[in-house]
Amino acid sequence: MNKKQNILLAFYGDDFTGSTDALEFITRAGAKAVLFIEPPTAEQLQQFPDIDVIGVAGKTRSLSPAQMKEILIPAFEQLKASGAKQVHYKVCSTFDSSPAVGSIGKAIDCGAEVFQNKLIPVIGGMPALGRYCLFGNLFARMGIGSSGKIYRLDRHPSMSKHPVTPADESDLRLHIGKQTTKKIGLIDITQLEQPVEQWNEGLIDEEVVLVDTMYESQLIKIGEWMDGLEEDKTLFSVGGSGVEAALGNYWNEKKILKPVTEWKQPGKAESLLVISGSCSPVTASQIEWAKENDFAELVLDAMRIVNEDAVDTVIGDHVATLLQQKKKVIVHTGAKKTENLSSEKLGTALGSIAKQAVMKSNVKRVVIAGGDTSSYAARAMEIDAVEMIAPLVSGAPLCKAYSTNEKVNGLEVNFKGGQVGADDYFGLF
């Protein structure tokens, strides 16, 4: 990477939907930010000479700790080489993980090895998304960008029943503590009222510190605290897009960045393709809404895809035909539970269908729903990078895709996590 570029922040997301969430909040703060599929080469960065923020949309959320380490150590080394003052490992706002899959603790261990910080901050909440951390316990609204009720994480109707990493503990210190041997401290909501200089006074030998986050007004102070933790080297941190919101708000206050308050309205698409590998009840309600509002529906046999490694090209042709007729089409994996099915195979199948449809039709906008499958779908579509072009629902911006594939290059794409949006989400496009 080229150290001559003034990189304020580099983040590595554990999946694609969460990565576009981080992309949105730092772009709203005024940063020129580009999200890449892999850590970018010097040649790729030369295409964006005024870039402030580098993002990488990883796939570690669905991997084992050993697989994560194999990917994260070189990725972190490359992001460190960018000269960025801040490097953030971006996790889902509900901290989806376990000791066996998508281990946040393993990511912390890898970050500690590469960056050698005295203290690794973990930012616990993101108020704009309905995620609140109070005395170390995480609470989450049902449906980001909706008016759903707020639940303690281990009692959340969706997250407590996640098919791969069900939430059984709301205290993030205990949750992450099952995944790393590092001692985890807490800066709680009462300490946030104290001057930033006093925040570390209660810490003794902690290597990781969780920071409560309840209110938008607390973000500037959190950003100030993070900005001052390491004077002479890169600071490594962990959390949801609360990290981007905190740093962005602080950089706005310091006039390092100027926030973007007006966006060009993208309008409605003539034809629309939605592909979904999400098992979330939020997405299920959105699919039902789409079916009741003239979306053509195609259901994939998820079990067959996984067991037979089968991708039905006939479906891709049928989708392309419907799109050429200016239809709105939704392709999903059905109502049957898909626990323990391969996210890689499901996501790749969905992405392959989407790419085939894009190649054979004039569709200009695609929505990809499902955190665990999104990274594989994006790769199957041959997307190399994305840049935010408009906000829609918090945490799921509309983006422009960059690709060496001419039909994919310039495509408008939206990556939606399972918990994002009200019932009529797909009607926004």
Side-chain angles (χ1 to χ4, degrees):
M1 290 187 185
N2 186 358
K3 283 194 175 184
K4 293 180 181 178
Q5 289 175 291
N6 183 27
I7 306 299
L8 293 171
L9 167 69
F11 67 85
Y12 188 102
D14 64 359
D15 69 9
F16 215 112
T17 59
S19 299
T20 57
D21 168 22
L23 176 71
E24 173 178 0
F25 284 97
I26 203 63
T27 303
R28 281 177 176 267
K32 171 70 173 179
V34 179
L35 176 64
F36 298 88
I37 284 278
E38 301 291 347
T41 63
E43 291 74 21
Q44 284 178 301
L45 286 179
Q46 286 174 3
Q47 299 176 44
F48 308 98
D50 55 346
I51 194 170
D52 301 304
V53 174
I54 297 166
V56 180
K59 53 187 178 182
T60 47
R61 178 170 160 181
S62 62
L63 300 182
S64 69
Q67 291 171 316
M68 290 177 68
K69 183 174 182 178
E70 187 175 344
I71 290 171
L72 289 180
I73 293 293
F76 288 163
E77 292 282 9
Q78 196 165 346
L79 294 181
K80 182 180 179 181
S82 73
K85 174 68 174 172
Q86 303 275 344
V87 171
H88 169 213
Y89 182 70
K90 201 280 176 186
V91 302
C92 180
S93 62
T94 44
F95 285 74
D96 303 4
S97 59
S98 76
V101 179
S103 170
I104 295 171
K106 176 54 68 174
I108 288 172
D109 292 344
C110 292
E113 180 177 333
V114 172
F115 297 98
Q116 299 289 312
N117 295 150
K118 295 178 182 177
L119 195 63
I120 295 175
V122 178
I123 308 307
M126 177 49 169
L129 301 184
R131 307 298 190 240
Y132 310 99
C133 192
L134 180 64
F135 295 107
N137 286 269
L138 188 60
F139 297 78
R141 185 180 299 281
M142 184 69 174
I144 295 171
S146 73
S147 57
K149 293 181 179 180
I150 297 170
Y151 299 88
R152 201 176 74 185
L153 194 65
D154 57 345
R155 297 178 181 176
H156 193 280
S158 179
M159 297 318 305
S160 65
K161 297 178 175 60
H162 190 284
V164 180
T165 52
D168 58 5
E169 175 57 67
S170 65
D171 189 324
L172 293 180
R173 292 166 294 178
L174 298 179
H175 175 62
I176 298 172
K178 297 174 184 176
Q179 305 169 20
T180 178
T181 59
K182 291 185 169 23
K183 187 174 180 180
I184 304 172
L186 174 67
I187 296 174
D188 68 38
I189 193 168
T190 64
Q191 293 169 274
L192 293 184
E193 299 303 311
Q194 304 301 316
V196 167
E197 298 78 22
Q198 298 178 18
W199 284 12
N200 294 355
E201 290 181 357
L203 303 175
I204 301 173
D205 57 353
E206 290 86 349
E207 301 161 277
V208 179
V209 61
L210 174 66
V211 183
D212 274 354
T213 321
M214 276 288 293
Y215 304 111
E216 294 276 351
S217 59
Q218 296 165 336
L219 293 173
I220 289 178
K221 289 180 72 174
I222 293 172
E224 179 186 358
W225 174 74
M226 291 181 67
D227 193 67
L229 274 181
E230 292 285 350
E231 293 184 0
D232 57 351
K233 59 183 176 181
T234 300
L235 175 70
F236 174 74
S237 63
V238 175
S241 53
V243 171
E244 282 67 32
L247 291 171
N249 284 7
Y250 177 66
W251 289 333
N252 287 159
E253 184 183 64
K254 301 297 287 185
K255 302 193 183 312
I256 295 170
L257 295 175
K258 182 179 179 181
V260 180
T261 56
E262 295 183 1
W263 300 85
K264 182 179 178 181
Q265 294 300 312
K268 293 291 185 75
E270 283 192 342
S271 59
L272 175 70
L273 172 59
V274 179
I275 60 170
S276 174
S278 173
C279 300
S280 163
V282 173
T283 305
S285 295
Q286 292 162 349
I287 291 171
E288 287 303 311
W289 183 95
K291 288 160 58 178
E292 294 169 1
N293 286 271
D294 300 324
F295 276 67
E297 178 195 25
L298 292 163
V299 183
L300 299 183
D301 186 337
M303 193 67 71
R304 178 171 173 263
I305 288 170
V306 171
N307 291 340
E308 300 179 18
D309 206 11
V311 178
D312 193 340
T313 57
V314 174
I315 290 181
D317 288 337
H318 184 38
V319 171
T321 299
L322 291 170
L323 292 171
Q324 286 295 83
Q325 297 170 1
K326 309 298 182 187
K327 301 283 189 181
K328 295 186 176 182
V329 184
I330 186 162
V331 182
H332 63 95
T333 50
K336 294 181 180 179
K337 291 185 178 181
T338 56
E339 293 100 319
N340 303 317
L341 296 187
S342 168
S343 297
E344 179 177 5
K345 290 185 178 180
L346 290 176
T348 299
L350 287 164
S352 298
I353 289 168
K355 187 184 84 168
Q356 185 180 354
V358 168
M359 297 296 290
K360 295 185 177 182
S361 73
N362 293 320
V363 67
K364 301 299 182 185
R365 191 173 293 172
V366 177
V367 179
I368 301 165
D372 292 350
T373 54
S374 62
S375 298
Y376 299 105
R379 285 164 170 76
M381 290 177 67
E382 298 182 13
I383 294 174
D384 297 322
V386 300
E387 190 172 10
M388 177 180 171
I389 57 175
L392 289 169
V393 170
S394 290
L398 188 64
C399 298
K400 172 187 174 182
Y402 292 92
S403 175
T404 54
N405 184 323
E406 291 184 2
K407 289 285 283 185
V408 177
N409 192 49
L411 188 70
E412 293 181 353
V413 290
N414 171 257
F415 290 84
K416 186 198 86 71
Q419 303 305 310
V420 174
D423 287 354
D424 63 350
Y425 183 85
F426 299 132
L428 299 176
F429 300 90

